[in-house]
Amino acid sequence: MAKIYLPYGSVEGQTAQIAEYIAELIRAHGHQAEAADLKRSGDTFPGGYDGVIVAASVHMGKHEKFVADFVRKNRGELERLPSALISVSLAAHGDEQSAESYVEKFEEETGWHPAHVGMFAGALLYTHYNFITRQLMKKITKDKGSPDLDTGRDYVYTEWDGVRRFTEDFLAGFTAPPRQAQA
């Protein structure tokens, strides 16, 4: 049984939901998983883990600084263990080139080049934004040609099946414990 650490940075909560979903999937496959909000848990990598999946959201074209700080500080461990990066952005919903450029910038900034990278669409959470942010996000969305302009509702773009497949691919390198026969 493998023990996987999932440190994440989330501003509006979608990346946190993705990290928690991945933790549940890992447990369902017979492994242990701990999702940790880096805002609360700090930038120290706890010992005793067999793998790590770092998840970070993108805002204003960049991943959270505190996630990049965590990666820089713990790069040796991230390179030693099986590890992955999950990048969550609105760009991953239809603008793959921008989503890829965010990951490339993160890799350059941190020096970490994970073997596994997942780029997942986040959410447009109009009802969570203040008035100014809501109007700014509506303008950006309109300029991109999206019809999702109703600020009275939220739009979740995360493809959960893709997250599941990514997680299962990552776990393929670990051996699951044998299932106990039921009496």
Side-chain angles (χ1 to χ4, degrees):
M1 170 173 38
K3 189 174 177 186
I4 311 296
Y5 187 54
L6 290 111
Y8 66 84
S10 188
V11 174
E12 291 148 2
Q14 192 65 16
T15 302
Q17 286 185 10
I18 292 169
E20 293 294 344
Y21 176 70
I22 290 171
E24 289 174 23
L25 287 170
I26 291 169
R27 291 182 201 113
H29 282 80
H31 302 288
Q32 293 180 3
E34 178 187 353
D37 182 348
L38 287 172
K39 284 183 191 171
R40 293 190 196 111
S41 64
D43 63 1
T44 301
F45 187 90
Y49 288 92
D50 304 304
V52 61
I53 300 173
V54 177
S57 61
V58 175
H59 291 274
M60 305 300 288
K62 295 188 83 157
H63 291 89
E64 291 94 348
K65 181 183 181 319
F66 64 92
V67 177
D69 291 344
F70 171 85
V71 168
R72 274 192 294 276
K73 180 177 179 182
N74 299 287
R75 193 171 104 200
E77 281 295 293
L78 295 173
E79 291 172 345
R80 184 182 70 76
L81 296 171
S83 62
L85 170 67
I86 292 176
S87 176
V88 180
S89 67
L90 287 176
H93 176 67
D95 186 358
E96 193 172 314
Q97 186 174 9
S98 290
E100 288 174 358
S101 74
Y102 299 149
V103 170
E104 289 169 8
K105 281 190 244 176
F106 186 79
E107 289 176 344
E108 287 172 20
E109 181 182 328
T110 63
W112 178 47
H113 301 278
H116 303 277
V117 175
M119 294 177 288
F120 301 113
L124 187 56
L125 303 174
Y126 284 125
T127 65
H128 298 237
Y129 304 147
N130 65 35
F131 177 78
I132 293 171
T133 303
R134 187 169 36 252
Q135 297 310 309
L136 176 64
M137 293 306 294
K138 182 178 179 179
K139 180 181 181 342
I140 291 169
T141 302
K142 184 178 180 180
D143 290 350
K144 297 263 183 198
S146 173
D148 300 338
L149 303 175
D150 179 357
T151 61
R153 62 167 288 212
D154 297 331
Y155 299 87
V156 176
Y157 303 116
T158 306
E159 294 179 19
W160 297 105
D161 284 343
V163 175
R164 180 187 48 77
R165 284 190 303 275
F166 175 86
T167 304
E168 289 171 350
D169 288 348
F170 180 78
L171 290 176
F174 298 95
T175 303
R179 301 223 180 234
Q180 297 293 326
Q182 292 182 351

